[in-house]
């Protein structure tokens, strides 16, 4: 039986030194903040972790640093997706070697798989390099451009990938997400990946979720989950709407630059992101500060 995750996993952001090198020394503080936010785990070197902008060696170093800092206090997901399958296999094998709890991989998104069958074959190649580690497919169609039938994917993956455990489902199609949850009476762990839609996902049965805003607003989302568990849907909706209003700022100013600025507000300076990402300009930073003050979002999170 697949052991399903109940709770929130934070998709960690990359941290850099002033010279642009990876800031491994900051990772223990990031882990401590995630624990303080009530996280069950951390998702490493994914979209927010700028995995595609890091070398394989850097990704391995980051994975090792998170495993050391977590010390069993957090579940550790290592994202091993890469445009070259052989490199993804190297990352997967390394993740298993250092004792990662789970691995995950996004599809190649330059040379895209031509069918669901080819996608599954690609994921099977990657997962087979870490046969003793549960594997999650990272479904994020707005990035990869792969609009696929996820029920077909589940049907093929369960036959082709012996260590297949589930999906990181980062899409707004709640109806398909619900169908995946119900596939073969809930055989697989389908983790929801759209923070601003967590409440409707909970309404259709979500138990676990992976997201970026959980890094600094985890307490708010955990309170939403608690309200739902107590059947306090009105309270859950009101609190969740505060998160929706905040996510509007990510759309307005850019998701990763804005959230890196919010991490600095929360006490962790992650440094400058790598090109082609940029930090917010001085003008945008000033406007963001004004918008945050109007919303009082970070103050609300601090009170929870």
């Amino acid at each position: 039986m697949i052991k399903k995750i109940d709770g929130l996993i934070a998709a960690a952001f990359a941290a850099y030194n002033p010279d642009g090198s990876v800031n491994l020394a900051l990772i223990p503080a990031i882990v401590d903040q995630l624990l303080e936010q009530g996280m069950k785990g951390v998702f490493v070197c994914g979209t927010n972790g700028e995995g595609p902008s890091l070398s394989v060696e850097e990704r391995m170093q980051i994975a090792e640093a998170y495993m050391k800092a977590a010390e069993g206090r957090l579940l550790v997901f290592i994202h091993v997706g890469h445009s070259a399958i052989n490199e993804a296999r190297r990352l997967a094998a390394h993740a298993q070697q250092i004792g990662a709890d789970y691995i995950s991989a996004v599809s190649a998104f330059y040379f895209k798989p031509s069918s669901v069958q080819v996608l599954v074959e690609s994921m099977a190649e990657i997962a087979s390099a870490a046969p003793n580690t549960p594997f999650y497919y990272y479904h994020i169609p707005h990035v990869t451009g792969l609009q696929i039938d996820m029920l077909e994917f589940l049907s093929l993956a369960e036959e082709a990938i012996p260590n297949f455990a589930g999906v990181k489902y980062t899409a707004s199609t709640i109806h398909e997400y619900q169908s995946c949850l119900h596939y073969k009476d809930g055989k697989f762990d389908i983790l929801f990946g759209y923070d601003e839609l967590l409440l409707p996902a909970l309404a259709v049965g979500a138990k676990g979720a992976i997201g970026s805003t959980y890094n600094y607003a985890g307490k708010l989302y955990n309170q939403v989950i608690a309200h739902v568990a107590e059947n306090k849907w009105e309270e859950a909706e009101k609190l969740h709407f505060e998160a929706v209003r905040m996510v509007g700022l990510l759309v307005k100013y850019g998701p990763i630059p804005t959230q890196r600025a919010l991490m600095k507000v929360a006490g962790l300076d992650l440094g400058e992101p790598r090109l082609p990402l940029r930090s917010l300009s001085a003008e945008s930073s000033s406007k963001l500060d004004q918008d945050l003050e109007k919303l009082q979002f970070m103050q609300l999170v601090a009170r929870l």
Side-chain angles (χ1 to χ4, degrees), residues 120-158:
V120 170
E121 290 172 4
S122 301
M123 294 300 106
E125 277 289 307
I126 296 168
S128 66
N132 299 319
T133 305
F135 174 82
Y136 284 70
Y137 170 57
Y138 184 174
H139 177 56
I140 184 166
H142 69 277
V143 171
T144 62
L146 292 180
Q147 301 289 344
I148 65 171
D149 182 338
M150 284 303 296
L151 293 178
E152 181 185 358
F153 177 89
L154 292 179
S155 176
L156 295 174
E158 71 175 318

